Amino acid sequence: MMRQYELVDRVLAYDPKADEALINRAYVYAMKQHGSQKRASGDPYFSHPIEVAGILTDLKLDSATIVTALLHDTVEDTGSTMDELTELFGPQVAQLVDGVTKLTRIELTSEHSKQAENFRKFMLAMSNDIRVLLVKLADRLHNMRTLHFIKSQEKRQRIAQETMEIYAPLAGRMGIQEFRDELEDLAFKELNPEARETLLKRLNDFREESGDAVENIREELIAKLAEHGLHCTVAGREKRPYSMWRKMERRGISLEQLSDIFGFRVIVDSEEECYRALGILHTSWPMVPGRFKDYISTPKNNGYRSIHTTMIGPLRKRVEVQIRTKKMHEVAELGIAAHWIYKEAAGDAAATQEFAATFRWLRQLVEMLEHGGTPEEFLEYSKLQMYSDQVFCFTPKGLLITLPRGATPIDFAYAVHTDIGDTCVGCKINGRHLPLRTVLKNGDEVEIIRSAAQRPSPAWEAFVATGKARSAIRRSIRASKQAEFSRLGKQILKGVFDSAGKESSDAVLERALGALRKQDLTELFASVGDGTLDPGRVLEVVYPEFEGTKFAKTGLKKAANGKDGLSAVKLTGRSEGLAIRFAPETYPLPGERIVGILTPGEGITVYPIDASALQEFDEESQRWIDLTWETDPENPQTFTAQLRVIARNEVGSLGHIAMLIADYGSNITNLSLAQRDVDFYDIQIDLDVRDLKHLTRIMSALNGLSCVNKVIRPRR
């Protein structure tokens, strides 16, 4: 366990102005409060906050953060209070400890079913001061280093999975690559120990075969750069097992095919020397096409800057080289902690700008929280943001837009501004009109074509890659659904009240708001439209004399199957939450395949798959939605079907046809004589049936009548 003076010396080594007395006071206080508490390993509990503080000294953090690390478990695990910490260590430290305590409580109550809501609270708790997250990451890192002492395998697996899904990506998003690598490797060790051991064994064999290759390559790189007057530091490194495993899994390749098991970092004094070094290396050895990335001119979202290239280098081996300045290297190693240091430096405007850019993604998360959305959407959005790789695209005016790999023009539009995304109807990529689902590549110039009449399509969700775009699309669709539900609910209520012979004006319906706990008529209409509120219940509240009657159901049926085609039947697919109507004169039935055509602001129009009217939508595949029927066998509904019957022109023919239809449990709702001559009737019959099977049985029976020549189901 690190001693008190050792911790203070480590802080003073990088920050001579550190508050030594504050650190000493916190050390003694925390040791006293934790007393005889033990960890699962049997070590004194106080060894944990000391190790967490030690980890944070590697990031060269300020005194307040180091003190927070020492105190971070006192409120949760001892009798300490926030008032006491405020009095002894000041409000800043107390607020930081409070933030870490909130994160710990969220973590301790985490269950799989609650993960999304917990993560939402997690991000809110740390959004005010990023140092809260840095303490929590150091806390998780030390806990992962001692994970093997926990006896419960289930608990170890849960902690490791949570680390892999949440904490490691957060460390990467903060730019603290060393934290991310170690967290991933420790979680990998618990989640897939066999794969890790196999990889380590093969890596050792590979290392033995390579012998002194790494050192020989390093020396040759130094010599070649020095030969051109460029004096620098070159260091060799080896990837961690999980990093190699992930790349092998993603690319479907073997260990031997990895080009960057061993990589090299060239550290120079200035940006200009970075490009000089690149020129020297590329003129000395052939580069591998497609393996060059310039993160100096286009930094990553977490502030990372460096040049990456792969060459067929010394000894004819594939060599990955990263070229950066000393400052870039410090940022690459310490991530946001390095930005914190530079931001504190007086007058460093560029560092302050970098620091603000690094926080941009966190501000977007908080913005999404403020706009609502479900916890599950927030978790999905955050994971997309944390795991993203990048492509760099430009607006026609030259503005750089950074997007994750796999992004499309829709993502680009939303990255520029939410309004541009919402009104996007098309795009030009490098001057060419291309589909909105086109995947963008590095260097693409994207021009978004807009229309004020456009609304986001649900189909966009299938091909966007950014959480911001997905969130905005869902938010717009929710608003559109609400408006459509409100319109549909108002029509349904009017049908119910008209059938009962009662007035349904807004003034009358407002009487129901209090009893039904609705804020306004829009919410009332929407609840009826989405099926969560029975319209008959509204009738009963407004006109109590109808309480207990079945009148409202009759009204609902009339409203649902009236001339406007509105449907009260439920269908499953991408249609949840949207108002549904049947296309006029198509008569689809349960049991046959159907498809929906989405019209923004109006809902979904349902067609049978063989409807000829679908041809006009052939070029608008983004509007097509697969649907399936969802009927209740205990409460069967009836649907209108249409038949064309050609029968003999003889006495009793119509009577036989009508009697047979009635015998099969159906009812004729309309009958018209399309044509009549001396020999035959051509009759069009509308009848109520339960499903396609019911109609098929009726058609078969009609074909068996001696007076019937042919039975046809017309399709439009």
Side-chain angles (χ1 to χ4, degrees):
M1 185 171 71
M2 190 185 306
R3 297 182 182 275
Q4 184 174 344
Y5 73 87
E6 291 175 323
L7 177 65
V8 173
D9 286 347
R10 291 180 69 166
V11 176
L12 292 175
Y14 64 81
D15 183 9
K17 297 180 181 179
D19 192 338
E20 186 176 347
L22 185 69
I23 297 172
N24 284 324
R25 214 161 57 243
Y27 188 103
V28 173
Y29 177 85
M31 178 177 280
K32 178 182 176 182
Q33 290 300 107
H34 286 294
S36 60
Q37 293 175 350
K38 300 286 186 182
R39 302 196 82 221
S41 61
D43 294 333
Y45 190 91
F46 182 60
S47 64
H48 169 65
I50 282 290
E51 290 300 325
V52 173
I55 290 170
L56 292 173
T57 61
D58 293 335
L59 298 181
K60 302 181 180 180
L61 290 174
D62 62 323
S63 302
T65 311
I66 302 302
V67 169
T68 300
L70 292 170
L71 303 173
H72 77 273
D73 279 336
T74 53
V75 174
E76 187 69 28
D77 295 331
T78 75
S80 299
T81 65
M82 293 308 304
D83 290 341
E84 187 176 357
L85 294 183
T86 302
E87 182 180 348
L88 293 173
F89 304 102
Q92 183 186 29
V93 169
Q95 287 172 8
L96 290 172
V97 173
D98 186 44
V100 178
T101 302
K102 287 176 181 176
L103 298 191
T104 302
R105 287 173 179 164
I106 293 167
E107 180 183 82
L108 291 173
T109 59
S110 178
E111 301 170 15
H112 181 70
S113 61
K114 297 179 182 177
Q115 186 190 51
E117 178 60 30
N118 287 336
F119 186 69
R120 181 185 180 122
K121 292 176 182 175
F122 184 105
M123 297 305 294
L124 278 174
M126 52 73 77
S127 61
N128 289 330
D129 196 322
I130 203 66
R131 290 175 293 179
V132 170
L133 176 60
L134 296 176
V135 174
K136 195 62 203 173
L137 287 174
D139 173 60
R140 176 52 64 109
L141 180 57
H142 185 249
N143 283 333
M144 286 301 295
R145 288 173 178 174
T146 57
L147 184 66
H148 57 283
F149 289 113
I150 295 176
K151 294 180 180 179
S152 168
Q153 182 182 5
E154 182 182 349
K155 186 176 181 180
R156 291 199 309 272
Q157 291 269 320
R158 178 184 62 77
I159 294 172
Q161 191 67 43
E162 189 178 61
T163 298
M164 190 71 85
E165 291 184 355
I166 302 297
Y167 290 96
L170 271 172
R173 204 63 182 79
M174 293 292 101
I176 314 174
Q177 196 58 38
E178 288 299 314
F179 273 30
R180 177 178 182 166
D181 288 344
E182 187 174 355
L183 286 169
E184 285 179 338
D185 200 40
L186 290 168
F188 184 45
K189 183 178 181 180
E190 177 61 40
L191 296 172
N192 202 340
E194 293 181 5
R196 185 175 181 273
E197 286 302 315
T198 301
L199 195 59
L200 283 173
K201 183 178 183 303
R202 292 180 63 191
L203 187 59
N204 287 331
D205 295 342
F206 188 77
R207 193 184 296 121
E208 290 176 6
E209 292 172 10
S210 301
D212 296 329
V214 175
E215 183 59 27
N216 292 338
I217 292 171
R218 190 185 77 85
E219 290 178 356
E220 190 161 345
L221 290 175
I222 292 174
K224 180 61 68 175
L225 292 167
E227 181 184 320
H228 289 77
L230 192 60
H231 299 284
C232 56
T233 302
V234 178
R237 62 168 182 83
E238 183 180 291
K239 275 188 176 288
R240 289 182 179 267
Y242 179 72
S243 180
M244 290 186 286
W245 171 264
R246 182 173 55 199
K247 186 166 286 190
M248 290 163 60
E249 286 279 286
R250 189 174 69 239
R251 297 185 184 175
I253 58 177
S254 66
L255 178 66
E256 291 75 13
Q257 292 173 289
L258 280 180
S259 63
D260 53 356
I261 291 176
F262 300 106
F264 298 86
R265 287 174 181 156
V266 177
I267 313 296
V268 296
D269 292 328
S270 66
E271 284 189 21
E272 181 186 353
E273 289 185 348
C274 288
Y275 291 100
R276 275 188 62 203
L278 177 68
I280 294 167
L281 296 179
H282 277 189
T283 53
S284 302
W285 294 284
M287 68 167 288
V288 177
R291 300 286 297 160
F292 170 75
K293 294 179 181 177
D294 184 354
Y295 293 120
I296 293 180
S297 64
T298 51
K300 289 188 176 183
N301 283 339
N302 60 11
Y304 177 86
R305 302 177 74 209
S306 188
I307 294 174
H308 292 195
T309 188
T310 302
M311 315 171 301
I312 307 299
L315 308 181
R316 300 298 300 167
K317 291 186 177 293
R318 285 168 67 100
V319 177
E320 183 192 72
V321 181
Q322 298 172 355
I323 308 169
R324 59 180 70 146
T325 66
K326 293 174 183 176
K327 179 181 174 181
M328 291 175 196
H329 181 64
E330 190 163 22
V331 171
E333 295 297 303
L334 304 180
I336 202 164
H339 284 298
W340 188 275
I341 295 167
Y342 289 117
K343 180 176 179 287
E344 294 299 306
D348 194 342
T352 302
Q353 187 176 1
E354 288 179 10
F355 185 76
T358 306
F359 272 101
R360 188 174 296 119
W361 75 280
L362 182 57
R363 289 200 306 272
Q364 290 174 350
L365 287 182
V366 176
E367 179 186 345
M368 182 183 172
L369 284 174
E370 293 170 351
H371 280 88
T374 66
E376 289 73 19
E377 286 179 25
F378 179 68
L379 178 60
E380 177 189 17
Y381 170 72
S382 304
K383 286 184 176 180
L384 282 170
Q385 289 296 94
M386 291 188 293
Y387 280 111
S388 63
D389 201 352
Q390 293 171 306
V391 294
F392 302 97
C393 301
F394 299 88
T395 68
K397 293 184 178 180
L399 177 66
L400 174 66
I401 302 295
T402 305
L403 296 166
R405 181 194 301 167
T408 64
I410 297 294
D411 296 294
F412 182 94
Y414 278 108
V416 176
H417 197 280
T418 301
D419 288 343
I420 294 177
D422 285 346
T423 56
C424 173
V425 292
C427 69
K428 288 183 181 179
I429 302 176
N430 302 321
R432 295 174 55 211
H433 285 280
L434 289 172
L436 289 174
R437 61 174 62 245
T438 303
V439 175
L440 298 175
K441 300 188 289 295
N442 270 323
D444 281 346
E445 181 186 285
V446 184
E447 179 184 350
I448 300 300
I449 301 168
R450 304 171 62 190
S451 168
Q454 173 69 341
R455 292 294 178 269
S457 165
W460 288 359
E461 248 198 278
F463 55 81
V464 295
T466 58
K468 181 176 182 181
R470 190 159 296 173
S471 172
I473 292 165
R474 289 175 177 173
R475 188 163 62 243
S476 178
I477 290 170
R478 276 197 299 269
S480 182
K481 286 178 184 177
Q482 190 77 356
E484 175 62 14
F485 283 146
S486 183
R487 187 191 66 80
L488 176 60
K490 188 171 185 177
Q491 289 184 357
I492 290 174
L493 283 175
K494 186 177 187 305
V496 170
F497 278 65
D498 286 351
S499 298
K502 294 294 182 179
E503 183 185 352
S504 61
S505 65
D506 289 355
V508 169
L509 292 173
E510 282 176 352
R511 302 176 198 165
L513 295 179
L516 298 175
R517 297 181 180 178
K518 302 299 178 185
Q519 294 289 330
D520 50 36
L521 287 179
T522 299
E523 185 181 353
L524 177 71
F525 295 148
S527 297
V528 173
D530 68 12
T532 57
L533 176 62
D534 187 339
R537 174 63 182 148
V538 182
L539 179 66
E540 292 171 353
V541 170
V542 177
Y543 297 106
E545 64 266 28
F546 287 98
E547 190 169 350
T549 70
K550 296 183 179 179
F551 202 98
K553 292 185 179 179
T554 304
L556 175 59
K557 184 172 181 181
K558 288 181 180 178
N561 296 312
K563 62 181 180 180
D564 62 359
L566 288 171
S567 170
V569 69
K570 291 183 179 179
L571 302 116
T572 59
R574 297 281 308 271
S575 67
E576 287 82 359
L578 288 172
I580 298 167
R581 66 181 67 237
F582 291 127
E585 300 182 349
T586 56
Y587 307 106
L589 297 174
E592 63 184 330
R593 190 180 167 198
I594 51 177
V595 68
I597 298 297
L598 178 69
T599 302
E602 294 184 10
I604 293 174
T605 305
V606 181
Y607 294 85
I609 194 63
D610 57 353
S612 59
L614 287 173
Q615 294 177 6
E616 65 181 276
F617 304 108
D618 282 347
E619 302 300 321
E620 300 178 271
S621 59
Q622 74 275 9
R623 294 178 60 187
W624 289 57
I625 299 173
D626 281 325
L627 301 172
T628 55
W629 296 91
E630 182 180 286
T631 55
D632 184 358
E634 296 182 4
N635 298 290
Q637 291 177 269
T638 58
F639 303 84
T640 300
Q642 192 172 83
L643 294 179
R644 181 185 170 200
V645 180
I646 299 175
R648 290 181 186 173
N649 185 358
E650 59 185 33
V651 176
S653 290
L654 286 179
H656 290 307
I657 292 170
M659 187 176 295
L660 184 144
I661 290 172
D663 288 344
Y664 274 80
S666 180
N667 181 49
I668 295 175
T669 58
N670 186 53
L671 186 148
S672 61
L673 194 60
Q675 184 178 345
R676 177 183 179 181
D677 58 25
V678 176
D679 298 315
F680 294 100
Y681 291 114
D682 189 345
I683 314 162
Q684 182 174 296
I685 302 174
D686 293 351
L687 64 161
D688 287 340
V689 295
R690 293 184 296 276
D691 50 31
L692 183 62
K693 185 177 179 181
H694 187 194
L695 178 64
T696 303
R697 290 172 57 205
I698 293 172
M699 291 176 68
S700 297
L702 287 172
N703 274 316
L705 289 176
S706 59
C707 64
V708 173
N709 185 51
K710 184 185 291 185
V711 180
I712 303 167
R713 187 184 177 199
R715 307 301 289 188
R716 290 180 175 82

